[in-house]
């Protein structure tokens, strides 16, 4: 059964309100429109050793946002 903001009869797991559901539907639509722009390389890139990664800076505000997010699968 497909849930939509207009026809939701019970809350979806992880969706707290109709507004959240509408935001989720909007995000799914945005992603669907971006699919043609995503290019998958024919040959996947080889992993880069962490010792070769340097010069990357992350603003403190961005680091706090990421730190405040739950781990995948929580």
């Amino acid at each position: 059964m497909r849930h939509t903001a207009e026809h939701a009869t019970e809350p979806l797991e992880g969706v707290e309100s109709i507004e959240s559901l509408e935001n989720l539907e909007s995000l799914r639509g945005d992603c669907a429109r971006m699919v043609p722009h995503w290019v998958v390389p024919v040959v996947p890139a080889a992993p880069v050793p962490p010792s070769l990664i340097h010069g990357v800076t992350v603003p403190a505000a961005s680091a706090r946002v990421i730190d405040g997010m739950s781990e995948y699968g929580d």
Side-chain angles (χ1 to χ4, degrees):
M1 177 174 163
R2 184 173 187 275
H3 292 274
T4 64
E6 298 84 26
H7 301 13
T9 57
E10 60 186 72
L12 294 175
E13 185 177 332
V15 177
E16 298 171 3
S17 68
I18 294 297
E19 182 178 307
S20 295
L21 183 58
E22 289 171 347
N23 290 338
L24 177 61
E25 290 296 322
S26 175
L27 176 61
R28 291 180 67 206
D30 292 343
C31 291
R33 284 187 293 280
M34 288 301 299
V35 167
H37 301 285
W38 296 333
V39 179
V40 178
V42 176
V43 178
V48 175
S51 61
L52 295 179
I53 300 173
H54 61 281
V56 177
T57 58
V58 177
S62 296
R64 283 192 297 274
V65 168
I66 299 299
D67 189 42
M69 297 174 78
S70 66
E71 294 292 323
Y72 181 80
D74 281 354

